[in-house]
Amino acid sequence: MGRILQVVGYQNSGKTTFVTEYIKEAVRYKLKVGTIKHHGHGGALTQNDNGKDTQKHREAGAQVTFVEGNESFILSSNQIKLTLSQMISLYNTFCLDVILIEGYKFEEYPKVVLLRSKEDLPMLKKTVNITCVLASFSLPLEVREKYLIFSSRDKCIEWLMINEAGEYIDNANV
């Protein structure tokens, strides 16, 4: 069994820093972690295989390429769009303890919401399944009464780890 947890917030809210610090703590707990990152900045992702066999495979018409060697691999596609659910199903092959999802604000998995300023507060009304909120500014009373609030990233991560926060999934039945 593993669990899924999302980390959401507007651009430059600290999502990647939060995710990397969570991963470091999870590794201390001897957990196997995978991440899924939403690239919401427009444009296709770039491939770093110019002149390599996988580029030649794609140019010949392959919809997906997979290269493996020395216990590492790269799965790549320029033509196939996967849903988040399909990506999670793929990740279940690896029997991970935690799948951290950075972004995908409108999906329904348990979330840590990162707020930079009062201008970010409307995100709380648009987001579902909020586990906790991390903010470095004073939040309105109605927000403090409704959500578990942290002002320290480290304390938030510690709480998430101790409480094994996230939606549990059965790796065999996704």
Side-chain angles (χ1 to χ4, degrees):
M1 293 278 283
R3 62 185 188 266
I4 298 173
L5 182 66
Q6 286 185 255
V7 178
V8 301
Y10 291 121
Q11 189 173 2
N12 297 319
S13 61
K15 294 182 299 294
T16 300
T17 301
F18 186 94
V19 167
T20 56
E21 292 302 316
Y22 184 103
I23 293 167
K24 290 175 188 176
E25 187 67 11
V27 168
R28 279 184 2 107
Y29 277 74
K30 308 268 191 265
L31 299 175
K32 294 189 300 184
V33 181
T35 64
I36 298 173
K37 162 96 172 112
H38 182 248
H39 176 66
H41 306 296
L45 300 174
T46 58
Q47 304 289 337
N48 292 327
D49 63 352
N50 290 337
K52 303 289 185 190
D53 294 342
T54 51
Q55 179 192 23
K56 293 174 185 175
H57 298 172
R58 278 194 312 279
E59 288 174 350
Q63 292 204 355
V64 66
T65 62
F66 192 107
V67 61
E68 180 276 333
N70 292 327
E71 297 183 10
S72 66
F73 63 87
I74 298 171
L75 176 66
S76 173
S77 175
N78 290 349
Q79 301 179 34
I80 298 173
K81 179 175 173 41
L82 297 177
T83 65
L84 182 56
S85 180
Q86 289 170 317
M87 287 181 252
I88 291 167
S89 292
L90 178 64
Y91 267 49
N92 280 318
T93 303
F94 308 115
C95 297
L96 300 166
D97 299 306
V98 179
I99 299 174
L100 281 179
I101 301 169
E102 183 178 332
Y104 293 93
K105 290 179 195 75
F106 305 112
E107 293 289 335
E108 297 192 4
Y109 296 102
K111 291 172 192 62
V112 177
V113 178
L114 307 183
L115 302 176
R116 301 170 297 194
S117 67
K118 289 184 176 23
E119 288 73 32
D120 292 351
L121 286 171
M123 178 181 289
L124 296 174
K125 290 185 173 37
K126 299 184 240 179
T127 306
V128 298
N129 208 354
I130 297 172
T131 299
C132 61
V133 175
L134 176 61
S136 58
F137 62 96
S138 180
L139 294 167
L141 179 61
E142 64 271 12
V143 172
R144 293 193 318 264
E145 289 177 340
K146 186 171 183 179
Y147 303 107
L148 177 60
I149 307 296
F150 291 93
S151 59
S152 161
R153 179 184 62 231
D154 293 342
K155 295 286 185 196
C156 180
I157 291 171
E158 179 183 8
W159 184 89
L160 292 166
M161 297 301 278
I162 290 170
N163 290 282
E164 299 182 356
E167 178 177 321
Y168 278 85
I169 54 167
D170 182 345
N171 291 328
N173 296 317
V174 171

